[in-house]
Amino acid sequence: MSETAQQRSRIMRAVKSRDTKPEMAVRRLLHRMGYRYRIHRSDLPGKPDIVFAGRRKVIFVHGCFWHGHDCPRGARTPASNTAYWTAKIARNIERDHETVVQLANAKWATLIVWECGLRDQTALADRLKAFLG
Ligand SMILES: [Zn+2]
């Protein structure tokens, strides 16, 4: 397998799994901080990854590449099937935006945690605390 094909299949595998590694890392951190939550509420727009029903707050954990984050990892362009990936990621960005708007209209607050934001766990914990209160 070429490197890009290998990369692509790794990305596809990561996308297929619901409990992706970055999401699990955020859940573990929240748990350690004493927060309790539900996951993958399919009755809410965008099926949020982590749901705090009492607070009407949700968290999405987004992969930087897949959701087109404005960071070095998100700016990476696959060498093959470039048009396919570019279009797909553009659709994801659009869908993510619509989801936040729909949730806001239903009086739910949304926090997006990016994969690249997991490296600094202290900063992330502060952000989570600020968001959740
Ligand atoms: Zn990023």
Side-chain angles (χ1 to χ4, degrees):
M1 238 193 304
S2 71
E3 200 188 318
T4 48
Q6 239 167 30
Q7 228 169 37
R8 203 160 50 236
S9 67
R10 187 173 50 77
I11 290 163
M12 293 301 281
R13 262 200 311 279
V15 164
K16 251 179 243 162
S17 132
R18 264 158 53 119
D19 296 322
T20 58
K21 253 204 279 182
E23 187 190 323
M24 291 301 290
V26 175
R27 275 156 55 180
R28 269 197 305 274
L29 179 59
L30 284 165
H31 200 266
R32 272 205 309 276
M33 291 168 72
Y35 291 109
R36 297 297 175 262
Y37 47 81
R38 292 189 44 197
I39 56 168
H40 305 297
R41 278 263 305 259
S42 51
D43 57 327
L44 290 176
K47 205 191 283 191
D49 297 322
I50 304 169
V51 177
F52 302 86
R55 295 175 163 89
R56 286 188 88 79
K57 288 178 178 175
V58 301
I59 296 176
F60 288 93
V61 184
H62 282 344
C64 295
F65 169 75
W66 200 238
H67 292 267
H69 192 209
D70 180 18
C71 73
R73 190 198 280 254
R76 226 168 34 193
T77 312
S80 61
N81 291 329
T82 310
Y84 168 81
W85 288 110
T86 305
K88 202 168 181 63
I89 290 165
R91 276 200 305 278
N92 284 344
I93 293 170
E94 204 176 309
R95 193 180 314 129
D96 290 342
H97 178 71
E98 273 166 30
T99 296
V100 173
V101 170
Q102 281 172 16
L103 283 163
N105 287 342
K107 304 266 182 289
W108 287 81
T110 301
L111 177 73
I112 308 285
V113 173
W114 294 96
E115 189 183 358
C116 63
L118 294 176
R119 257 170 274 153
D120 187 343
Q121 292 264 308
T122 312
L124 178 59
D126 286 346
R127 259 190 92 203
L128 293 171
K129 216 182 291 172
F131 176 66
L132 293 168

